[in-house]
Amino acid sequence: MGEPWCVLLASREDPERLSVTAPGRGSSQRHPVLSNCDPLTGTLRRAASVTSFDRIAAVIAGSADRWRQCSLKDIGQNNLFVQPKYQGTGYEVLLALVTLENRISPTTPVLFLPADHIVNDEEVMTNSLQSMAEWIADEPGPIYLLGAVPQGPHDQLGYIVPWHDTMLMPTGVYEFVERPDVRHARKLINAGGLWNTFIFGGNVSSLIKLFRPRFDAAIASLREALHASQMQPDLVRTYDRLSPVDFSQEVLAKQLDNLSVLRLLRCGWWPLKSPTYNTRLAGGSESRLDTGSAH
């Protein structure tokens, strides 16, 4: 198996400062693991543990210069995929795929890593990412999701209910629910549901296939803009015709037959987003091009 590519999803991050809160009781607690490292830098280091720096890319929004001066300074300019503005996770993923499709083999494993969580045991996470890349290479049909064992009901996360309770093997997805209320979340956990870490992967062909045929017009417009002599103005015009699309809710959740889930062994994975309720937990439409709901 050749080296995978890793794509960091960083469009929503502030390149100057990322606030981090520890899991549990207070939103003002700083997490000790990140005393000298923001989540984006941690995600970049995580990617570098499974592939070489020339195979790490990042999707960002706004000026690339600001990013080049901070967390992503070690990523090559050609691997910074700049969105004119943030239009949801759906277009973060799609822009990366359309940019990469002419640069790498369609069978190359591509892992997508968001920067919206923290991890205590990096070795466990690295092993999980390497395992995902190996599964993509050996059985390239599905899209592989990484699911974490819930530490309690969390109404700001997605839940993946696998068909079977397996530890080291991927299994099909029975149900995929985005941001359920607390009562529903408890039922999903009792049914064996896993938190959706939004760490996922596949090869370029299988990932682009997820967007078809519904997003064919958007794909064609992005391809045309990226190959235009005046790329940035064309890309701005294309993005002006898009409305935000949530990748989990509007793409993944509608194609369960194409998904497999790998269980993330306990490694202290924790989301930066807090639930909307007070509890103690352990440790629009795509106008002119498509129709989807906002992230």
Side-chain angles (χ1 to χ4, degrees), residues 190-212:
N190 290 336
L194 304 171
W195 278 346
N196 177 24
T197 66
F198 203 62
I199 297 171
F200 62 94
N203 61 38
V204 174
S205 295
S206 61
L207 285 161
I208 289 182
K209 186 178 178 181
L210 284 177
F211 288 88
R212 307 195 65 187

Side-chain angles (χ1 to χ4, degrees), residues 234-255:
D234 278 28
L235 198 58
V236 169
R237 285 191 289 271
T238 296
Y239 266 71
D240 284 341
R241 299 198 303 272
L242 303 175
S243 294
V245 169
D246 183 300
F247 182 69
S248 291
Q249 188 170 356
E250 293 301 311
V251 181
L252 292 180
K254 297 180 181 297
Q255 303 191 58

Side-chain angles (χ1 to χ4, degrees), residues 148-150 159-162 175 185 187-195 263:
V149 176
Y159 287 76
I160 305 164
V161 181
E175 190 174 11
K187 290 182 178 179
L188 293 169
I189 292 171
N190 290 336
L194 304 171
W195 278 346
R263 182 186 293 266

Side-chain angles (χ1 to χ4, degrees), residues 5 41 60 97 140 245 257:
W5 272 73
T41 300
I60 61 176
L97 293 172
V245 169
D257 290 345

